[in-house]
Amino acid sequence: MTGERILLIEDEVAIADAVAARLRSVGFVVEMAGDGPEGLDRFDEFSPALVVLDLNLPGLDGLEVCRRIQAKAAEGVRSTPVVMLTARDDETDIVVGLGVGADDYLTKPFSPRELVARVQAVLRRVGEQVVGPDPSPRTLVGEVELELASRRAFRRGDEVHLTPTEFDLLARLVARGGAVLTRDQLLHQVWGYRDGSGPRTVDSHVRALRRKLGPDVIRTVHGVGYSVGDGKA
Ligand code: CA
C-alpha cells in the first residue's frame, strides 16, 4: 500500500504531526488540514484514499465534513473511507448513533501506531473483493442488487450510494446466504477487531442500510444478530 494518499484533518498540531510522521514512516503520502473548510478544499485537490478526521474542528466540525465527503460520493466522486477521531468514548457513542458514515472511530488519547493499524485495516477491507455464493456480477436481495466487483448497490434499478463499511456489512451478510451473523462476527469480519462500543457500531450501520435500501433488506434475529432479508417486509 506504499504511496497511498491520506488526508489528515486535525487542528491539534502535536497530534497531527505525530500521526503524519507515523503514517509517512510506513509509506503513506500525507496531506494535512487544520480546519473543516480547508479539509474539504484539500479533499477535492488531493483525492485521498482515506481521510483521518477529527470530530472537534474549527470552521466546520467533523460531522459536517464527513457528511459533505459522503455527499460528494453520492454525486459520483468515488467513495472515500473516513476514520474519525473523538475526544471521549461517550462522544464516540453519540457520533456512531448519528450514523454519519465514518468507517471507524478512534478515541483520544491513542497511539499513532494504533491509528496506522486502523487505517491499514480499513484500506485493506475496502480494497478487498467480497465474493458471495453467487458468482454472477450482481447478487439480488429482494429489490436490492449488489454488484460486488464494482462495489455498487441498486434498489429497484436505481443506484444507491453506500459508504465502504455499509457495503462490506451488507456483502458479508449476502455472502452468508441468509444465515445469521452475530454482532461480534460482523465486527470481526467487517471492522477486523472487537471492542466494547462495537455492537452499537454494527447497529448504527444496519440502521443506515435500512434507511437507504428499505427496512427489509436486513433481518434482525433477536438475541442473536443479523441476516440478510428475504425481500419480504
Ligand atoms: Ca480538535
Side-chain angles (χ1 to χ4, degrees):
M1 59 177 56
T2 306
E4 278 190 295
R5 293 137 82 94
I6 309 290
L7 173 58
L8 173 59
I9 310 175
E10 165 65 88
D11 59 313
E12 287 165 78
V13 175
I15 294 176
D17 286 348
V19 165
R22 187 83 201 183
L23 286 166
R24 288 178 178 134
S25 76
V26 296
F28 289 110
V29 176
V30 180
E31 184 86 5
M32 296 201 270
D35 64 45
E38 187 192 356
L40 287 168
D41 286 346
R42 289 279 181 281
F43 180 85
D44 290 336
E45 298 158 5
F46 186 55
S47 298
L50 181 144
V51 178
V52 177
L53 176 60
D54 186 33
L55 176 63
N56 301 297
L57 286 171
L60 288 172
D61 69 15
L63 289 179
E64 189 54 32
V65 172
C66 191
R67 285 196 189 99
R68 294 198 191 182
I69 288 174
Q70 303 298 351
K72 288 175 193 292
E75 286 161 10
V77 180
R78 80 198 164 80
S79 194
T80 306
V82 173
V83 174
M84 195 171 279
L85 308 178
T86 68
R88 301 184 311 274
D89 278 334
D90 60 337
E91 202 174 77
T92 302
D93 287 346
I94 292 166
V95 176
V96 166
L98 289 173
V100 289
D103 294 86
D104 206 347
Y105 299 87
L106 209 53
T107 304
K108 295 173 184 176
F110 56 83
S111 72
R113 178 195 295 266
E114 185 182 3
L115 175 76
V116 168
R118 294 287 186 90
V119 164
Q120 288 171 329
V122 170
L123 286 173
R124 206 161 40 237
R125 175 153 61 77
V126 170
E128 240 172 37
Q129 188 178 322
V130 181
V131 179
D134 180 353
S136 68
R138 286 193 184 183
T139 304
L140 193 64
V141 187
E143 62 192 19
V144 173
E145 281 180 295
L146 286 189
E147 203 170 274
L148 294 174
S150 63
R151 303 178 59 84
R152 295 161 76 198
F154 303 84
R155 183 184 187 193
R156 297 184 196 126
D158 293 331
E159 184 161 7
V160 177
H161 167 66
L162 300 183
T163 68
T165 298
E166 289 162 3
F167 185 91
D168 284 335
L169 178 57
L170 186 55
R172 295 283 174 182
L173 290 170
V174 167
R176 287 290 293 248
V180 180
L181 282 167
T182 67
R183 287 179 177 80
D184 275 350
Q185 285 172 325
L186 286 165
L187 269 179
H188 188 66
Q189 291 183 15
V190 176
W191 282 266
Y193 67 93
R194 297 161 188 270
D195 81 9
S197 67
R200 294 188 50 185
T201 307
V202 177
D203 296 344
S204 155
H205 283 85
V206 166
R207 273 201 303 278
L209 281 165
R210 285 175 173 154
R211 197 170 59 236
K212 291 178 176 181
L213 296 174
D216 50 336
V217 68
I218 292 175
R219 195 164 60 95
T220 301
V221 182
H222 289 287
V224 186
Y226 294 107
S227 76
V228 76
D230 57 7
K232 301 183 192 82

